[in-house]
Amino acid sequence: MNKFRDIYDTLKNEINEGLYNDTMVLPTEMALIERFGTSRNTVRRAIQLLNEDGLVYSVKGRGVVILERIEIDKKSFKVGNFQGLKALSADTEVEKKQLCKNFTS
């Protein structure tokens, strides 16, 4: 397995466990290089994967900020249009068919 993937997995788990909640930023690149005993490019590659996953965002002059995760209540999401209503789960197939029928007639 690649070293950057090991770093990515470790940091992702630490973010998900709330280890960085007090600071809301990851340690500096230099601190991560020393911690994992690797090159700057390897650390940057791991951070890039975290960024692509929407877990962090690099801010020039501030560091790598951990993004807040927001849980979306699917029942209140997009209920203002037909697709949103259609996406809601009905208890039975009959209810689903009736719901779709009501909005297409």
Side-chain angles (χ1 to χ4, degrees), residues 18-80:
L19 183 65
Y20 300 108
N21 274 348
D22 292 335
T23 61
M24 295 303 289
V25 294
L26 285 180
T28 64
E29 281 184 2
M30 287 307 297
L32 293 172
I33 290 167
E34 290 176 19
R35 175 181 173 190
F36 293 105
T38 191
S39 71
R40 185 176 198 173
N41 286 335
T42 303
V43 167
R44 285 186 171 184
R45 198 161 173 199
I47 292 171
Q48 180 183 0
L49 284 179
L50 292 170
N51 189 318
E52 290 171 6
D53 283 351
L55 296 172
V56 300
Y57 182 77
S58 296
V59 178
K60 190 171 184 168
R62 181 148 182 238
V64 181
V65 178
I66 298 166
L67 298 175
E68 185 177 1
R69 301 192 95 169
I70 299 172
E71 297 296 323
I72 297 174
D73 182 2
K74 292 181 181 178
K75 291 183 180 178
S76 63
F77 187 72
K78 289 188 180 179
V79 293

